[in-house]
Amino acid sequence: MNDVAKSRLKVGLDVPWVTSWSGEAVLGVGPCASVGGRLAVRQAERPGFGRPNYSRNHLRRQRLTVARMLCPMCGEPTPEDDRWLQTARRTTAGILRARSFAAALPPALGDDRVVVDAGAIAPCHLACAGRAAAHCPHLQAHTSGELIAFPYAWIVLPLMVRAGPTHVLDSTARPASAVSFLQLCGITTETDRAWRSRAPLTSADS
C-alpha cells in the first residue's frame, strides 16, 4: 500500500473530505472511537493517496461526519443554522418503520411525524454545497440541486453488518455485529396525517 502515489487533488477542496481513496484498504473489524468504542468496520487512513472513489465514503470519516456533525465536504463542524442536505428526502416515521427501521426509531415518535431521511450523508455548509456539487460526480448524478435545511433534532441509525472470526481484529472466536456506516434522520415539527397512503405495502397488506 505504501507505493500508492499521493494525488494532486486536494482533500476538502477538489475531493470531499468523506470520500474514500484507493490507497485506503478495509482492515477488518475492531473497536472504534467513532461509535463510542463499539465494534465497527475499520479502514486505513490515507486520504489523498491513490484515486478518489467518489461513490464510496470512507468508513470512519463517514461515521465521524454523522456523530460529530462534520461537513462531508471540508470536514469541519457545521453550526446549527448552517446545515444543508443535497440528496435527502422528506418522509414520515411510519414509512421508515415499514422499511425495517422500527427498532431504531424512538417509540414516542409518532408515525405521522415528518422526518428528513438523509441516508448516510451528513449535512454540509452552504458554502461547501456548491463546491461539492461541482467536484463530486457521484453527487451530480444523485441530486436535483435542491437544498434542504437540516432540522434541529435528529436521530442516528447504525447500519450493522455481521463479521466472522477472520474479520475481527481481536481474534474473537464468535461472529459479531459491527457498525459499518451511520445513517442520519432529521426530525421536523411537522406531521402528515395522510402518511399511510404513501406507505409501502407489506406482505400482510397484499
Side-chain angles (χ1 to χ4, degrees), residues 3-201:
D3 61 350
V4 178
K6 185 170 179 59
S7 174
R8 294 182 179 178
L9 298 174
K10 301 298 183 183
V11 175
L13 292 175
D14 305 313
V15 180
W17 180 79
V18 75
T19 295
S20 184
W21 291 74
S22 60
E24 299 180 307
V26 175
L27 301 176
V29 170
C32 185
S34 67
V35 287
R38 296 170 62 184
L39 282 181
V41 186
R42 294 164 62 171
Q43 188 173 358
E45 292 275 357
R46 298 193 77 201
F49 284 84
R51 299 180 307 279
N53 188 343
Y54 291 103
S55 64
R56 181 173 298 174
N57 288 334
H58 183 275
L59 290 158
R60 177 178 171 274
R61 292 197 293 275
Q62 187 280 331
R63 295 191 295 262
L64 287 177
T65 61
V66 172
R68 300 181 183 177
M69 278 292 156
L70 305 180
C71 175
M73 182 64 201
C74 71
E76 295 297 320
T78 54
E80 284 188 346
D81 60 350
D82 190 17
R83 292 175 178 162
W84 301 88
L85 298 166
Q86 295 169 287
T87 59
R89 60 187 182 83
R90 292 166 62 86
T91 183
T92 63
I95 290 177
L96 287 186
R97 286 192 174 101
R99 291 175 176 163
S100 74
F101 284 106
L105 296 177
L109 188 66
D111 284 340
D112 60 351
R113 181 69 67 88
V114 175
V115 299
V116 178
D117 183 6
I121 308 297
C124 64
H125 300 108
L126 181 61
C128 291
R131 188 182 304 118
H135 290 284
C136 182
H138 183 72
L139 182 61
Q140 294 168 7
H142 292 85
T143 181
S144 65
E146 177 187 4
L147 291 176
I148 299 177
F150 190 68
Y152 292 107
W154 64 88
I155 55 176
V156 175
L157 312 173
L159 298 181
M160 310 299 292
V161 295
R162 294 288 289 174
T166 58
H167 302 110
V168 180
L169 296 181
D170 62 3
S171 300
T172 300
R174 297 165 54 190
S177 293
V179 181
S180 57
F181 293 111
L182 294 179
Q183 192 155 322
L184 187 62
C185 183
I187 310 298
T188 75
T189 58
E190 305 169 45
T191 57
D192 179 2
R193 301 298 182 186
W195 73 271
R196 292 184 185 277
S197 65
R198 286 175 281 280
L201 290 176

